[in-house]
Amino acid sequence: MDLLQYIDGIYEAAVVPEKWPDVLGSLSQEVSGDGGVLFTFARKDMSWTTSSGIRDLFLEFLNDGWAAINPRPVRLSAGNHPGFVRDSDVFTAEELANDPVYAFYRRKGIGWAVGTMLDTPSGDSIVFSFERAYSKGPVPTEVVQAFDRIRPHLARGALLAARLGLEQARSMANTLLALGLPGGVLDRRGRLVASNALLDALVPSTMQDRRDRLMLSDPLADRLLEGALSYRGLPGAGSRSIPIAAAIGRPAMIVHLLPIHGVANDVFSVGRSLVVVTPVDRSAVPNAEVIQGLFDLTPAEARVARSIGEARSVEDIAAAQGISRETVRAQLKAVLAKTGLSRQQELVSLLAGRHLPWA
């Protein structure tokens, strides 16, 4: 069996992540298999891709919670074997017969696999796994040996993809620098993987580059950031803007957390979010368009926020805009929720660049 014919495809997929499903599908055919899976993980975070034929099954595997109790990665890691291994190499026949995850596999017609685990300098682990129909029996030894011959290329391809992802993150941070904006890139755990000089200048007074994640020095703002980062792992997570109160020698600021689009197809992508910081000008209340952009507000909410920033009452706003006081109050409530504030006066202070009561 000669798997060296797939080497070019492996390196192409490292540069063009959309190619990984085709590579996984081709390699899976060499084990007379039903599909291939590639995933990277660290702690509870995981990114993945599969060949087309097994994608729906893998989604079911994730959605039904089987991934959380999957014994394969644990055994692969514990074995620390520098090559591909089969289920039958790391589990006894009794374990395979009684494990609930393998019961799921077998109900779906699979249950034999050959896989390998690779560790990266970033601390992430990478797993390649190729599934085989249960009716066909364990993967033959000669197939394992053939996969071992291309394992170095899979490892180099994965590391190349990770390095390219890091270079992309640095390029994004430098682009923000050219625009005069403090900015950087966060990975899926919220760790700062790239930053520009303007963002670095805000450390540690405004933010702190911790090992676990980026943190904001203001406790309330940091709680909002922590919540935004937790939500970011969910489908449909959008942008979020977080206010930071003014301090001595520093204006009030807005920290924007923006999703990096297109990474869903790249299992090795380093960056998951852009973090961008914009100061609030003390000299004037921002116009409605700026406020809308800062806090992801609707146009109506932005108009109410600007009016509140000008210290106008709910009654005055309602009369000026020809709407009811209840509508203004509802829009104001939405504005406070999106800015992370609790009181109307806090919004006035924020938009005027003054210290907030909780600062």
Side-chain angles (χ1 to χ4, degrees):
M1 177 181 292
D2 182 14
L3 299 186
L4 298 180
Q5 59 183 307
Y6 300 114
I7 291 176
D8 288 345
I10 291 170
Y11 290 112
E12 183 180 6
V15 179
V16 184
E18 291 82 1
K19 297 288 186 180
W20 278 116
D22 293 337
V23 171
L24 295 171
S26 297
L27 289 172
S28 174
Q29 292 176 8
E30 298 296 334
V31 299
S32 299
D34 286 13
V37 178
L38 162 60
F39 60 92
T40 65
F41 68 92
R43 299 181 185 176
K44 297 181 180 180
D45 301 296
M46 184 174 73
S47 296
W48 58 273
T49 188
T50 72
S51 56
S52 59
I54 203 172
R55 180 178 176 82
D56 290 344
L57 190 154
F58 192 71
L59 280 171
E60 182 180 351
F61 178 77
L62 295 175
N63 293 335
D64 289 353
W66 297 112
I69 59 172
N70 184 14
R72 282 179 177 172
V74 176
R75 290 295 175 92
L76 279 174
S77 179
N80 197 29
H81 177 67
F84 276 84
V85 295
R86 304 171 296 179
D87 307 85
S88 54
D89 295 326
V90 293
F91 295 98
T92 66
E94 183 178 1
E95 287 175 324
L96 292 174
N98 295 317
D99 186 87
V101 175
Y102 274 89
F104 168 83
Y105 290 150
R106 293 176 181 181
R107 287 197 302 272
K108 299 299 179 179
I110 59 176
W112 300 113
V114 59
T116 190
M117 179 179 288
L118 307 164
D119 293 323
T120 68
S122 67
D124 289 358
S125 295
I126 302 167
V127 173
F128 287 90
S129 180
F130 299 96
E131 305 298 325
R132 179 177 166 95
Y134 182 68
S135 61
K136 297 176 182 177
V139 177
T141 302
E142 59 269 22
V143 172
V144 179
Q145 295 170 345
F147 270 89
D148 280 343
R149 287 193 289 271
I150 67 164
R151 185 177 185 270
H153 299 285
L154 290 170
R156 284 193 287 269
L159 292 176
L160 172 61
R163 290 193 188 102
L164 289 173
L166 181 57
E167 288 302 317
Q168 182 187 42
R170 290 170 177 163
S171 176
M172 291 178 181
N174 289 332
T175 298
L176 292 171
L177 177 63
L179 296 173
L181 293 171
V185 177
L186 305 180
D187 67 11
R188 60 183 177 272
R189 285 173 282 177
R191 299 181 305 177
L192 190 63
V193 294
S195 61
N196 61 33
L198 293 176
L199 189 75
D200 293 340
L202 299 177
V203 177
S205 61
T206 303
M207 55 187 61
Q208 300 164 18
D209 184 11
R210 298 288 184 88
R211 181 176 180 180
D212 290 339
R213 67 170 177 87
L214 181 72
M215 297 186 68
L216 300 178
S217 300
D218 184 288
L220 176 56
D222 188 63
R223 286 197 293 273
L224 295 173
L225 176 62
E226 183 178 22
L229 290 173
S230 298
Y231 178 71
R232 192 147 304 279
L234 301 176
S239 58
R240 180 70 189 271
S241 299
I242 300 168
I244 298 180
I248 297 175
R250 185 198 70 199
M253 296 181 176
I254 312 296
V255 174
H256 307 274
L257 198 62
L258 309 169
I260 298 176
H261 296 289
V263 298
N265 293 321
D266 188 354
V267 70
F268 295 110
S269 176
V270 174
R272 282 297 190 270
S273 303
L274 279 176
V275 57
V276 184
V277 182
T278 56
V280 175
D281 188 356
R282 292 172 179 267
S283 63
V285 175
N287 63 38
E289 289 75 18
V290 172
I291 295 173
Q292 181 182 356
L294 286 176
F295 296 108
D296 314 314
L297 306 179
T298 68
E301 291 167 353
R303 288 192 294 270
V304 167
R306 174 170 170 76
S307 298
I308 292 294
E310 294 171 336
R312 299 172 66 181
S313 69
V314 169
E315 289 74 15
D316 288 343
I317 298 170
Q321 297 187 15
I323 56 179
S324 69
R325 288 176 295 179
E326 289 71 23
T327 298
V328 174
R329 290 193 181 97
Q331 292 169 343
L332 177 58
K333 183 178 179 180
V335 170
L336 293 175
K338 290 183 179 181
T339 56
L341 304 176
S342 58
R343 293 188 296 275
Q344 182 174 327
Q345 185 54 45
E346 293 175 355
L347 180 63
V348 174
S349 297
L350 173 67
L351 295 178
R354 295 194 293 269
H355 295 270
L356 298 183
W358 36 262

